[in-house]
Amino acid sequence: EPEVTQTPSHQVTQMGQEVILRCVPISNHLYFYWYRQILGQKVEFLVSFYNNEISEKSEIFDDQFSVERPDGSNFTLKIRSTKLEDSAMYFCASRRSGGVGEELFFGEGSRLTVL
Amino acid sequence: AQRVTQPEKLLSVFKGAPVELKCNYSYSGSPELFWYVQYSRQRLQLLLRHISRESIKGFTADLNKGETSFHLKKPFAQEEDSAMYYCALSRVTSGSRLTFGEGTQLTVNP
């Protein structure tokens, strides 16, 4: 069964460094998302991406964040200059269409630790 | 603004007992409601959605618009139901984001 895959599973970085988290969505999916979960808190929406552009973003997704689909398969989240509070589990998700009730498929997550 | 509240962070029941995980939401329009589940060391996955009105693994959830609730129920809990359960809401708009509740950790004891 096709799955969303994410790399790396865990990354440790120093404050101020750039980080790129990578995702390979399910191949025939058209909508892509990033969510994050700070330890002990709820899963929060960051950004959605459709038709090669951002379709929606949250207030968390400020100028330090960017997303890209550099080729036909990868979907990346870049944090330009990491802060301590960026430490979280980052989940990539995709769905086949934007239809009502359409299932969202999640990756296993990338744990980011900022020191 | 859309908001989802799960009042219980932890819920513990014995095998065979009924279980109800509470979910309340606030949203001015007509929402889509979902339950997602995360078993230990596994990814988040869809359990059920209100639009399908289905029962999955013995779980059901009814959308009550008057009480703005979407509680998840199962008449006889099993040990394998132990997991983190998240209630989530989205607008009825193409590709709309999911807004999650805080999650309830369900433990089913033998």
Side-chain angles (χ1 to χ4, degrees):
Chain A
E1 191 173 318
E3 292 179 333
V4 176
T5 57
Q6 290 186 241
T7 53
S9 55
H10 189 192
Q11 181 157 354
V12 181
T13 191
Q14 295 289 326
M15 194 167 57
Q17 294 296 304
E18 176 182 283
V19 156
I20 297 176
L21 305 178
R22 291 184 167 80
C23 170
V24 180
I26 294 172
S27 63
N28 62 345
H29 285 192
L30 300 177
Y31 290 78
F32 314 113
Y33 304 80
W34 282 101
Y35 288 81
R36 79 167 186 196
Q37 186 175 32
I38 295 170
L39 189 63
Q41 298 186 23
K42 62 171 69 178
V43 177
E44 300 174 291
F45 168 78
L46 291 177
V47 65
S48 59
F49 193 86
Y50 169 70
N51 201 25
N52 281 318
E53 60 183 24
I54 289 174
S55 46
E56 190 179 5
K57 60 183 181 179
S58 72
E59 55 278 1
I60 302 168
F61 194 86
D62 61 22
D63 292 344
Q64 293 298 313
F65 291 89
S66 62
V67 289
E68 201 176 35
R69 188 153 160 84
D71 52 43
S73 58
N74 290 283
F75 178 51
T76 61
L77 175 69
K78 184 195 289 187
I79 309 174
R80 243 178 291 278
S81 176
T82 49
K83 307 193 237 343
L84 295 176
E85 54 265 35
D86 294 327
S87 294
M89 183 72 99
Y90 289 80
F91 295 103
C92 175
S94 70
R95 65 205 294 186
R96 188 167 47 90
S97 76
V100 171
E102 183 80 20
E103 181 174 356
L104 199 56
F105 291 83
F106 284 85
E108 292 186 306
S110 293
R111 181 169 298 284
L112 176 64
T113 302
V114 182
L115 303 176
Chain B
Q2 50 202 70
R3 185 179 170 88
V4 177
T5 305
Q6 292 178 250
E8 302 135 331
K9 275 199 155 171
L10 303 169
L11 186 60
S12 183
V13 301
F14 286 103
K15 178 182 166 182
V19 64
E20 181 180 52
L21 290 85
K22 291 186 166 46
C23 171
N24 289 91
Y25 67 90
S26 64
Y27 178 59
S28 53
S30 272
E32 272 300 307
L33 274 298
F34 305 82
W35 278 97
Y36 277 78
V37 61
Q38 189 170 29
Y39 300 102
S40 180
R41 296 191 200 87
Q42 293 187 30
R43 63 189 69 208
L44 264 168
Q45 56 187 280
L46 178 68
L47 180 63
L48 54 79
R49 59 198 122 184
H50 98 265
I51 195 173
S52 305
R53 303 186 68 80
E54 59 202 343
S55 172
I56 303 291
K57 299 184 180 183
F59 284 97
T60 58
D62 290 316
L63 178 60
N64 185 324
K65 290 187 178 180
E67 294 182 1
T68 59
S69 68
F70 189 56
H71 304 326
L72 184 68
K73 298 177 187 177
K74 184 168 182 176
F76 307 105
Q78 303 299 312
E79 287 177 70
E80 56 265 30
D81 295 328
S82 296
M84 191 71 165
Y85 290 82
Y86 294 95
C87 184
L89 173 156
S90 78
R91 301 191 303 264
V92 183
T93 308
S94 183
S96 181
R97 67 164 83 173
L98 280 178
T99 298
F100 285 89
E102 301 90 339
T104 298
Q105 178 68 50
L106 174 66
T107 302
V108 181
N109 300 297

